[in-house]
Amino acid sequence: MDTTPDRPVATSPDPSHEPATAEASRARTSEVDPPDPGGSSRADEAAQEDEGAGGPSWWHRDHPTFTALSGFFTGLLFLILVPGVYGAVLNAMVAYDTAERLFPYVLVALLVPAVLLVVPRTRRFGRYMALGLVSTAVVVLGVGGLVLWILVARG
């Protein structure tokens, strides 16, 4: 598992780890403003500015786990939704026999994660998407096989 970020992450020293001095503590306490009686605070204003700039400040797309989590859950949803939606659309548009004959073409959709694995910029996302696809398939097939075995064994 690759834990290094795709890009170097710039870090700045945390001011809370600096030695406390009388001037520094006075400066820190003077920076904190009490909330306005109207209900608006500095945090609310910052959140409104961030929303106007394209999203809330807590949505850190450069965070190392963002790509991993979004790739894994994209793979999970991809494996569940793509065949279901494809089958539903086919069944709505053509006769049942034709839809049954055309359904295996949903495997063409597996080219999407394959392309993501090949392109260098999306390789990390593609790896986690493939992990989500494989782990979902293993869980679904494993649980389905276990339930089928229990049903057959009980008669």
Side-chain angles (χ1 to χ4, degrees):
M1 185 180 340
D2 184 19
T3 58
T4 59
D6 294 337
R7 296 176 250 165
V9 179
T11 59
S12 59
D14 188 5
S16 64
H17 295 295
E18 295 175 2
T21 62
E23 292 175 3
S25 63
R26 261 187 272 126
R28 263 189 252 130
T29 56
S30 66
E31 289 176 1
V32 177
D33 293 334
D36 292 337
S40 176
S41 68
R42 185 184 278 183
D44 292 338
E45 292 170 6
Q48 289 172 354
E49 290 173 7
D50 288 342
E51 287 175 3
S57 63
W58 51 267
W59 195 255
H60 298 293
R61 292 183 184 269
D62 290 335
H63 196 277
T65 59
F66 180 81
T67 302
L69 287 174
S70 60
F72 179 82
F73 287 112
T74 300
L76 183 140
L77 289 173
F78 188 84
L79 188 67
I80 293 171
L81 291 178
V82 169
V85 170
Y86 181 72
V89 169
L90 273 179
N91 199 19
M93 295 180 74
V94 296
Y96 183 78
D97 294 334
T98 308
E100 192 175 281
R101 190 172 39 89
L102 293 175
F103 186 75
Y105 289 111
V106 75
L107 294 176
V108 173
L110 291 177
L111 290 175
V112 171
V115 168
L116 289 173
L117 283 168
V118 172
V119 178
R121 184 164 172 85
T122 59
R123 190 168 291 148
R124 186 164 186 255
F125 181 83
R127 268 188 294 193
Y128 285 104
M129 184 174 174
L131 178 67
L133 283 165
V134 170
S135 62
T136 302
V138 166
V139 168
V140 167
L141 293 175
V143 170
L146 180 66
V147 168
L148 183 63
W149 179 75
I150 290 171
L151 289 174
V152 169
R154 293 206 134 193

